[in-house]
Amino acid sequence: MPSLALCAILDIPLILDEIASSLSQSDLAQCLLVNSAWNAAFAPLVWKEIFIANQRIITLFQTSSAVQQGLGRNADHVRFIHSVFCYVFQSFPIDKPFRNLVRLDTLASELHNKGIVDHTNTQQLLRFVKVNTSLREIVLSNFPLGSIPTSRTLGDVLASHPSLVSVTINCFRDAELSSIQHVLRGAALANVEKLSLTCRSRIVWEDEEMQKVLLEASQPDAEPYQLVPQGHAASRLVDLTLDANVEQSIYVTLFPLLRHCPNLERLFVPSFDAEKSMMDLCSILQDCCPKVQHLEGGDHSANDDDQTMLLNACQYLKTYNMSSAQPMGLRSVEALLHHRHSVTLEKLSFRNCTAIQSRHIQLILTSCPNLRSFDGLNCQDTHHPRINIQDMPIHTGPAWVCKGLVELHIGFTGFTTLPENEAIQPYVDAIYRQLAVLTELESLYVGGEVSLIGVFPSYSRVWAFDFTLDSGLGQLATLQRLRTLNIRKLKHHRIGSEEAQWMVHHWPKLKDFYGPPEAPGTRNSSRGNNHIANTPSFGVDTGVGNQGGDRLSGRNEWRGYLQELVRYNPSLTITVAT
């Protein structure tokens, strides 16, 4: 029997939370059975989150009187419900809502035979959302936007709900255009602050009247389509994502909603092709959405001029994420550094950029002092945005001013094109010197020269930047906050056991390491020359293994490096690409 003193300790929230953090959910459930004091102490933690991951749990809610009574007694403790089934909401009483429920994440529809959707369960789910007026966030996956009546009900629920501030809707099947309009209209009329609607399938509008409306709305000087009542302002909506195939319906979905969002701060720009659509979008942003600070782009074929218009339409961007394959030329770079974007920009990503000059990357890094995240390194080999080392200052010239960077994805090239009579080490030192001033870095992704044949010959000058202590790695001892290192795109590294020991000593917070599958080039200490070992992928042996010795092959050296990392830092997570 627990002592009275132990029961009294459970009345201290900090101690109770510390104990609970060390116990599994099943252990917490066992604590309820000790005595009434423990039950009172642990019940809020056990019932705080209901996670319905299998049909057995649903059966318990439906058939077990003990579970039903427990749910009734502890309903006020429930704050989160996560379910991978839609029909579970038949088990929850509609007349007794959860008074403190704030988040719901669930599947919104289920397929039956021959792909038929049962909307009965979805309607029950929407009734559950409607009566639980304390809900602040809902995530509905696989919502049947192909059903106009069900989508209309969802729009009505959103419009009348008093507490919802975040709504996320995902649809994986064809959607009706009217369904999307109902959801957008409901969110605009509600108190929603964040709306994300994703539909990657077709958007259908077979109604002849709607086709006529679409045609008229997209004409020059046409009257704007009214999605919500004229004069209404969705003043609370600050974050909007409409990731759907709205190329031809953008004038009756996104555009009329944006005209009512004076406080919008974050916008995901969906895919569309027409140049006129981009011009109209920029006009709406300038006239109706003056507070936009975060822009993310969908998969659309914008060119340099389109990006320039989009950047000029905003004033003080903090985020610009160009996720699709687009060129970024001189005009868009100038627009990015104009309108005070260079002063306010905190996050920039152009990893999929099809064309950007090295000197423009360097210009951005020397012009944006408040950058916290910079992603200019493609994880695939389709595009290769890199800084040419010849565009970096060797002794004098502008240095990177973004000394507050926390995350950096960057690649370097130009090693093989440097004139033979010019020393390469000063350029390598310039790379390390620029990286060394980024003392706030927590994540560093480094890429190198791109090779079409996959392997660099031993005489190639790329090996001057091989991320070894001999090349100047020791200059990065200032990166003491580094937690993640990724060298998957650095195909010409030769790091080994010495570098592993150095990294563990100088980067004490390093927790994640990502390396390429192939063995690197190595320095054979007994022969004193460089060579490449072309070996297949291999698993990571986390035993102690070899602790040094001659570097006999690329495979042995790479394995030894990984073993050293694990030996000196057992908590380190190592991931080798496959």
Side-chain angles (χ1 to χ4, degrees):
M1 179 67 68
S3 66
L4 294 177
L6 180 56
C7 293
I9 287 177
L10 298 180
D11 292 335
I12 304 175
L14 290 178
I15 295 180
L16 180 61
D17 291 342
E18 186 67 24
I19 295 173
S21 65
S22 304
L23 301 176
S24 66
Q25 195 68 15
S26 59
D27 291 335
L28 288 173
Q30 291 297 318
C31 292
L32 300 180
L33 306 177
V34 175
N35 58 29
S36 59
W38 280 46
N39 188 290
F42 285 100
L45 301 175
V46 172
W47 289 95
K48 178 180 180 180
E49 181 173 0
I50 298 179
F51 181 43
I52 303 169
N54 54 61
Q55 295 181 350
R56 177 176 173 271
I57 298 177
I58 299 178
T59 302
L60 288 175
F61 277 111
Q62 292 175 337
T63 62
S64 172
S65 58
V67 172
Q68 292 172 356
Q69 292 173 9
L71 179 61
R73 289 193 307 269
N74 297 281
D76 288 349
H77 298 318
V78 178
R79 295 180 60 81
F80 311 100
I81 294 179
H82 180 89
S83 175
V84 296
F85 299 96
C86 181
Y87 63 90
V88 68
F89 297 95
Q90 297 178 2
S91 306
F92 295 143
I94 295 297
D95 58 336
K96 295 180 180 179
F98 298 92
R99 293 189 300 178
N100 296 312
L101 182 64
V102 295
R103 189 177 192 274
L104 173 65
D105 185 345
T106 181
L107 195 71
S109 66
E110 286 147 340
L111 285 173
H112 293 271
N113 294 334
K114 298 181 180 180
I116 300 175
V117 180
D118 184 357
H119 298 293
T120 304
N121 293 324
T122 307
Q123 293 288 351
Q124 183 73 9
L125 164 63
L126 295 179
R127 284 193 289 270
F128 179 86
V129 173
K130 182 178 181 178
V131 301
N132 284 274
T133 55
S134 61
L135 272 170
R136 295 182 60 80
E137 179 182 1
I138 59 171
V139 179
L140 306 180
S141 299
N142 200 30
F143 192 87
L145 290 175
S147 169
I148 296 177
T150 304
S151 301
R152 181 186 297 112
T153 302
L154 172 59
D156 294 341
V157 170
L158 296 181
S160 61
H161 202 285
S163 303
L164 278 176
V165 296
S166 177
V167 176
T168 300
I169 309 293
N170 299 316
C171 176
F172 307 118
R173 296 187 293 274
D174 291 352
E176 289 282 348
L177 175 58
S178 296
S179 296
I180 292 180
Q181 290 175 319
H182 283 306
V183 175
L184 296 179
R185 183 184 299 113
L189 296 175
N191 297 320
V192 172
E193 298 176 4
K194 178 181 179 181
L195 172 64
S196 175
L197 196 158
T198 302
C199 179
R200 299 296 176 84
S201 298
R202 290 188 311 131
I203 296 179
V204 182
W205 59 91
E206 298 179 354
D207 184 83
E208 293 184 1
E209 185 66 27
M210 180 53 67
Q211 292 182 6
K212 180 180 179 181
V213 170
L214 284 171
L215 181 62
E216 293 177 352
S218 60
Q219 297 302 311
D221 302 323
E223 286 293 323
Y225 176 79
Q226 293 296 320
L227 184 69
V228 295
Q230 192 168 4
H232 173 79
S235 57
R236 295 200 177 187
L237 190 61
V238 296
D239 190 334
L240 175 60
T241 296
L242 178 57
D243 189 2
N245 299 318
V246 294
E247 292 95 337
Q248 300 178 15
S249 59
I250 197 167
Y251 285 92
V252 295
T253 52
L254 178 65
F255 286 179
L257 178 58
L258 288 178
R259 292 190 181 95
H260 297 266
C261 299
N263 296 320
L264 193 69
E265 297 179 2
R266 183 183 299 272
L267 173 64
F268 180 92
V269 181
S271 58
F272 54 84
D273 297 326
E275 181 179 348
K276 179 181 181 300
S277 299
M278 178 62 76
M279 295 177 61
D280 290 339
L281 171 62
C282 294
S283 176
I284 293 173
L285 290 179
Q286 285 180 318
D287 297 339
C288 306
C289 306
K291 297 183 180 181
V292 169
Q293 298 177 336
H294 309 274
L295 273 181
E296 297 189 30
D299 187 15
H300 50 81
S301 56
N303 54 36
D304 189 44
D305 291 337
D306 294 333
Q307 289 195 78
T308 301
M309 285 192 295
L310 192 59
L311 289 167
N312 285 332
C314 305
Q315 295 299 316
Y316 306 106
L317 282 181
K318 292 184 177 180
T319 301
Y320 186 60
N321 185 351
M322 188 179 66
S323 57
S324 59
Q326 307 164 18
M328 195 168 186
L330 176 61
R331 293 190 61 193
S332 54
V333 171
E334 289 179 342
L336 183 68
L337 303 180
H338 190 46
H339 290 300
R340 297 193 64 186
H341 295 330
S342 61
V343 177
T344 58
L345 200 62
E346 297 177 358
K347 183 176 181 179
L348 175 63
S349 175
F350 52 85
R351 63 163 58 191
N352 295 322
C353 180
T354 55
I356 182 171
Q357 294 186 23
S358 164
R359 60 188 180 91
H360 292 157
I361 302 177
Q362 180 72 3
L363 178 62
I364 292 171
L365 292 172
T366 56
S367 304
C368 301
N370 293 313
L371 269 179
R372 303 281 291 169
S373 175
F374 180 86
D375 187 353
L377 183 62
N378 194 293
C379 58
Q380 305 296 329
D381 286 327
T382 52
H383 311 301
H384 315 293
R386 299 283 198 278
I387 287 185
N388 191 307
I389 58 174
Q390 298 179 60
D391 291 326
M392 299 184 65
I394 302 179
H395 304 294
T396 60
W400 296 351
V401 296
C402 44
K403 297 182 180 180
L405 272 173
V406 175
E407 181 178 17
L408 176 63
H409 301 229
I410 194 165
F412 301 95
T413 186
F415 301 98
T416 58
T417 58
L418 197 68
E420 293 185 4
N421 60 350
E422 189 169 356
I424 196 171
Q425 189 58 41
Y427 293 96
V428 176
D429 289 339
I431 295 175
Y432 285 124
R433 187 167 59 249
Q434 297 279 36
L435 294 175
V437 302
L438 309 179
T439 56
E440 303 292 319
L441 265 186
E442 296 180 5
S443 298
L444 176 59
Y445 290 56
V446 181
E449 198 79 69
V450 177
S451 173
L452 297 179
I453 60 175
V455 177
F456 294 99
S458 59
Y459 55 81
S460 174
R461 303 188 81 183
V462 300
W463 298 105
F465 181 55
D466 56 8
F467 227 64
T468 61
L469 292 172
D470 290 344
S471 71
L473 178 65
Q475 298 181 53
L476 302 188
T478 55
L479 309 186
Q480 297 182 7
R481 297 189 178 186
L482 197 66
R483 300 179 63 86
T484 301
L485 176 63
N486 189 318
I487 58 168
R488 283 179 175 174
K489 307 303 292 183
L490 186 65
K491 303 296 185 180
H492 44 83
H493 71 85
R494 294 187 295 193
I495 52 182
S497 299
E498 294 178 11
E499 286 73 25
Q501 296 177 34
W502 181 92
M503 289 180 185
V504 172
H505 178 71
H506 290 87
W507 299 339
K509 295 185 177 182
L510 188 65
K511 295 298 180 184
D512 298 287
F513 174 83
Y514 298 86
E518 67 272 15
T522 63
R523 298 159 293 172
N524 190 305
S525 60
S526 60
R527 298 182 181 179
N529 60 352
N530 300 332
H531 69 280
I532 305 297
N534 187 14
T535 60
S537 304
F538 57 89
V540 179
D541 179 6
T542 58
V544 174
N546 178 27
Q547 300 179 9
D550 290 345
R551 306 182 178 193
L552 300 178
S553 71
R555 177 171 180 169
N556 289 340
E557 175 60 15
W558 187 222
R559 187 185 298 274
Y561 166 68
L562 298 176
Q563 290 171 347
E564 286 295 298
L565 282 178
V566 172
R567 186 167 75 89
Y568 284 96
N569 188 352
S571 64
L572 183 67
T573 300
I574 295 179
T575 304
V576 177
T578 58

